[in-house]
Structure formats: C-alpha cells, structure tokens
DNA sequence: GCTTATGGTGTGTTCGTTCACGCAGAGCGT
DNA sequence: ACGCTCTGCGTGAACGAACACACCATAAGC
C-alpha cells in the first residue's frame, strides 16, 4: 500500500479508502489507484489485515439436525464439521453449531434465524425443511455467504451446495448387485415408510439400473414404527418365500440391521456407521456405499472459512464422490476419516 | 503476552525470551511465566507472529520424478501438489518442485541435496532410489520436517510417510474379480519386466486372494520394451489359448492399453489417468482402483505447510484409502479431483 | 579500584493494514 | 463576513509479536 500510495502521489489512507470502497475519494484518484493496483498485482497481506482487524474472529454458523445422541449419518457429518473447525481455529475462525429437532420445521427455522441474527459472517445449513426455510433464506442479504449441505433447496438466491447424488448412488448399488449375481435372479429393494428425499432418489436409481438390464426387483415394505425384531422376522419370511432372490439393497444406513436376515444373499447398503462396520468385517454385508458425510461437513465449513478469510468465491456445487467400500478397503477409508 | 507480563510482574521482552527459549532469564521468572502461560492457555496470535517475522515466506521443497511430459501417475500427484500450493499461497507458503529423471538415482540424490541446501524449511520427497537417498537423509538434521510420499523408505530418522498399501490393492482387485466371476474360471495376472515395488506388492496381494479362495491365476508376462501392438497381440493370443479365463488384472496404470485385447473379460486396473477413463466409460474396463495420487501430493504439501505454520506434529503415516471406481461413480471422483 | 564480561531486564521500533480523527477548502445561506 | 456542512485527503494510533538495543546489576580478572 505504501508503494501504491507513493506511485499515485497520495497517502496510504486514500489507497485504503479506495481498496475498501469507502468513498470520500475523487474520481481521478480512484481510477489512478485502481490502475496501479491492477498493474502491480497487489494482494493485501492477510496477516497484517487480520491483525489490524481488531482480532476480529470470523464466525461461522452451522445449522443442522441434532447429532448429539446420534451415531449415524449426522454424527459423521458433525465429525467433519468439527475437524474443519479445528483446522481453521488457528486462523481465528470460530465455528458454532446449532442443532434442531429434525422432526420440527419450526425448530429448524428458529435455529436458522437465531444464527443469522447472531452476528455470523457465514452460515452452513442443512435445509431439510425447505418449505419453511425458503422464504427466510430468500429474504436474507443476497451477498451473505451461504452453503447448503445434505439437501439442495431450490431458491432464488445464490448459494453453494455440498452434497451427494442419491440417484446415482442407487444406480451404482444396482450395478454392483448386477455384476455379482447371475442374470435372472431377482433382487430385493427395501422400502421404508418415510418421506425422505434421499431414500426416494436412491430407490429410483436402483430400479432404473435393474430396468436397464431387465432384472426383476421385489419390493419389501418396512414400517419404521415396527420394532427391529418384527422387521427382521418379516424380512426372513419374505426371503423364504422368494428363494431365488440373489441380493438385497437397503437404501439407508440401517442395512446392518438386515444383515442377519439376508444371510447368504448379497447385501448392499449405505454409510460407514459403527453398526455397519462389524457386519461388513464379518462378511454379512458385501458392499457399503458412502457419500463421505464427514467430507460434506468438512467441505461446507472449509469453503465458508476460505471465503471469509481469503475472499475465495463459493462454487455453485460440490459433489461428493461415491465410495464403494468392501471389507478389503474399509480400513483405509476409516483411517482417512479419523485424521 | 502483555497480560502474561502483567501477571508475572515482568516486561513483555522477558516473556518473549521465555517463550522462545532464548535464555537470559532467571530460573524464577522462567518457572513463573511458564506456569502462567500454561494456566492461561496462551496461544500466540498467528497473524501478529507472522507479520512480525519480517514477512518471512515459509518455503517447502518437493523432490519427485519429472512429471512434465507425463500424463500418468506422477502428473496426478503433481496436480495435488499444485492444488495445495495454491491453497497455502495466501498464507505465504512457497512451494517449489524439483523433478529428476526417474531412471537416474544420482539425479534424485542431487535434486534432494540442492533442495535441502537451498534454504527450504520442509521437504517432501518421493524416495524411489532408497539406496542413494538413505545416507543423505539420515545425515540430515533430525528435526527438519520431512515427508516421504509414494514409496516408504526404511531409515533411522523420524519422518512422515504418505502413501498407499499396494498389497491390499492387489488383494482387493482379486476380491472384485472373485465376486463377479463364477468360481472355477481362472484369472490372468499381467506381469511386467520392471523392478517396481508397487507392482510387485500388488501382484502378491492379488495372488494371495486368489489362493485364499482356490482360484487359478495364470501369469501373462509382458516386456515393456515390446511395442504396444506386439503386447496386445500376445495378450489376445494368450486369451485365445485359455478360453476359460474370466478376468484380468493389470497391476498398473497401463490397463487401458489391454482393454481391447481383453474384451469380454472382466478387467481390473489402476489409476484414473486419461487413457483409462475412456475405456471405463465405454465399458471395456470394469473396475479401476485408485490410491488417490492427487491426495497424496496434496497431503504431503498440506501437512508440511501446517507443520511450519502452526507447529502441528507430522503423523508417522497417512494411508490413503483404496477407491473402487466403476463407470457409474467415475464422474464424482473426477469432480473431486478438479476442485 | 579499575576495566571487562555476562546475566537479567525493560524499551522501542518494526511488520502491513485498518480506521477514527482532524484539517483544509469549497459551496451555501444568512 | 460569519457559521455551517460536505468532500477530499493526510496523520497517527492501534493490532500482537519479534527482536535489536540499551541499561543496570553483579562477578570475574587484573
């Protein structure tokens, strides 16, 4: 800045006002300084800048379903968030997470509002209740850095989405069963009585693959309100009635619970939650798919942090790759997560 | 620091001398100040610290085989290195890469020596010529941050290794063929006349799996000096002579070159190099394994950067997970790499 | 009793930015 | 001519740490 000021024949203060668009500078000088900045390829010194900013800690808010007592998917996401928070802590980025009851749209909206009005400079939110969240989001300052994760929500506002392609995941599950089973043997798709977009899309992808190769898909309906024993018994009964069935796809993380009932059939499911790991290790599950939920949380926070610190633009979309996990490469994936 | 000085009843200068172990402080004060530092949980302000340090740019050197005209494995590693370099550039970390002719151990040693004496504060090296490199490394200052990648080199010195488990990769390849082929059908393992540790280990892993399930492995020997046409013809002839063969494992990135010859058989190979992508997309390859070479380069530089910036300890080992890539999840993996 | 080293300490400047403040002069109305 | 506001600009004090330097003791050596 000193050099720029010298070349432009003005003071540092004037340069500063131009760089920060704070006005009170003549049009002449604005043009001259901008030209010099451009020509010199001036980049502000991050360290000086942040030091001077009064030790202002950049703060990021995360709004997501409660993960405290959860050992599943949201816990994995939370782990990634925490890892990113640790990584950016020495750069004075503070991450605060607010959880809400996932069955209460109002709690979701309330959590978002609290966060947004609480002085955060960037927010990552899992917009699982789009109806109530959309108006809130669209009314908010359009330049405010906002990242959606887990679920994408159509809305008239620029934001970044970090997430998965559930349809493709189901399709891949179909392919894996297809590759490992003789044609002609039907496969089972477990369908839960839950209104969940991911589940729906995964199932569609799975059926799409089966259709494309002409394999029969049997639907096994499951009520989530039924106790586990009951569901297992139903499953065993179902399989006994359809002995030709070669494999089974459980489109969510609960696949481990079905591993015993499906014994002898190829089993494909989702997510590296503790309950599934043992089943995979012992060969009761064959494939687990994972959309790297830790990476999802990690990336959401990381991108926001870098946007705030370095002014990096948020990409429109970050899609996470589909991992195919077998007993034989499980440990490598677990190592990766825990570092 | 001001607060610490106040509480200890000394000046800031004294606190500074204690924190930096620069002596010239009475034992009393050292103890008192350390206690207060401990109790306050004092962490130095990175921004002030780096600003004050004379804008000293931390510099990191990378020593690896030349990747300029290479579109393969080393190019992927290099991409990861460059990505990390871009990421840490605003934190004033400078990364310089020196390539050497991979067939010349002397060039490798020379490159390392140049780097080490050139004022770097941390080095990442691919120690593919361990015989010549070991004495150099062991003679070097033991506290100097050092990361090995690609190949691990046993040596009497603390360092961090970022890399893969090639044996496990071969084992996984065996499992994938095993899952998708009827028992009884033999599989082919391509063996190259190259003294490469990774190739060797992958092949061992592959054979170990086959042995564990009693599947026959046929060896197809290939001379790398032969022109591609010749090798393809040999392969076709070999397969014609063994019509029962169900699948083929090429334990390196050249699998794409064999895809045509092996048509109709399951093909498993390594690495997301451009030559393999088309073959996978068109269904001539079934599985590609990847040890995330970009992540390898990225992590090597990233860990060194964080060690220098934040004083984070280098872990002994970072193992990269084995990715199983099919046509159906290829795009997600490519997206991940190019961000 | 004198210098000369050396252990222990405080002071002051520097790093590059940020931003509150102050000051001059122009424009306006009374 | 006076006070007022408003624009355009420079000045100077932070921010927190690093480090050279000056200083005063005391001890050692002659």
């Amino acid at each position: 800045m000193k050099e720029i000021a010298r070349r432009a024949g003005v003071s540092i203060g004037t340069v500063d006002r131009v760089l920060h668009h704070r006005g009170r500078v003549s049009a002449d000088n604005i043009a001259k300084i901008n030209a010099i900045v451009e020509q010199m390829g001036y980049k502000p010194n991050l360290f000086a800048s942040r030091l001077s900013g009064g030790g202002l800690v950049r703060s990021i808010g995360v709004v997501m379903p409660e993960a405290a007592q959860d050992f599943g998917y949201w816990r994995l996401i939370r782990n990634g968030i925490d890892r990113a928070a640790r990584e950016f802590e020495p750069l004075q980025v503070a991450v605060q997470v607010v959880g809400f009851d996932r069955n209460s749209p109002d709690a979701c909206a309330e959590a978002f509002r609290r966060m947004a009005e609480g002085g955060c400079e960037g927010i990552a939110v899992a917009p699982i209740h789009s109806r109530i969240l959309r108006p809130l989001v669209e009314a908010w300052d359009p330049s405010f850095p906002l990242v959606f994760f887990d679920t994408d929500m159509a809305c008239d506002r620029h934001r970044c989405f970090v997430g998965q392609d559930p349809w493709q995941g189901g399709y891949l599950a179909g392919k894996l069963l297809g590759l490992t089973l003789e044609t002609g043997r039907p496969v089972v798709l477990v369908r839960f009585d839950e209104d969940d977009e991911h589940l729906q899309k995964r199932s569609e992808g799975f059926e799409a693959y089966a259709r494309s190769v002409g394999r029969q898909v049997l639907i096994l309906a499951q009520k989530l309100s039924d106790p586990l024993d009951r569901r297992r018994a139903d499953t065993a009964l179902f399989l006994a009635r359809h002995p030709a069935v070669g494999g089974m796809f459980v489109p969510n993380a609960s696949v481990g619970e079905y591993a015993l009932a499906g014994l002898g059939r190829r089993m494909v499911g989702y997510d590296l939650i503790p309950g599934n790991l043992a089943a995979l290790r012992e060969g009761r599950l064959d494939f687990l798919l994972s959309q790297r939920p830790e990476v999802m949380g990690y990336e959401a926070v990381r991108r926001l942090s870098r946007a705030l610190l370095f002014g990096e633009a948020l990409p429109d979309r970050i899609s996470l790759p589909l991992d195919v996990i077998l007993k034989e490469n499980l440990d490598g994936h677990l190592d990766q997560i825990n570092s």
Side-chain angles (χ1 to χ4, degrees), chain A residues 20 30 38 69-70 102 119 130 145 179 184-185 188 191 207 233 236 274 288 307 309 311 328 333:
Chain A
H20 292 347
I30 295 186
E38 189 70 22
Q69 0 42 334
D70 182 340
R102 81 187 62 175
S130 52
L179 272 176
R185 297 189 68 173
V188 174
R191 175 157 296 159
E207 292 183 282
L288 278 177
L309 283 173
E328 286 76 12
H333 279 86

Side-chain angles (χ1 to χ4, degrees), chain A residues 3 19 52 84 88 93 101 119 177 204 222 253 300 335:
Chain A
E3 174 64 11
L19 289 175
S52 175
F88 282 92
V93 174
D101 177 353
L177 285 185
E204 283 171 20
Q222 292 279 280
D335 282 356

Side-chain angles (χ1 to χ4, degrees), chain A residues 218-245:
Chain A
L218 304 174
I219 305 289
L220 167 59
Q222 292 279 280
K223 279 209 182 77
L224 280 170
S225 51
D226 284 348
L228 182 56
D229 284 352
R230 171 74 186 282
R231 283 186 281 149
R232 278 198 180 136
D234 282 356
T235 307
L237 199 63
F238 185 92
L239 290 174
R241 236 181 295 147
H242 300 278
V245 160

Side-chain angles (χ1 to χ4, degrees), chain A residues 41-63:
Chain A
Y42 166 82
K43 288 275 177 305
N45 181 316
L46 180 73
F47 298 106
S49 168
R50 297 283 284 120
L51 175 59
S52 175
L56 240 183
V57 172
R58 305 283 173 175
S59 75
I60 288 177
V62 180
V63 181

Side-chain angles (χ1 to χ4, degrees), chain A residues 260-283:
Chain A
L260 269 181
L263 214 56
R265 268 81 171 200
R266 283 253 181 281
M267 300 286 296
V268 183
Y270 255 86
D271 292 330
L272 293 186
I273 65 167
N276 289 344
L277 301 186
L280 191 65
R281 284 227 173 77
E282 292 159 18

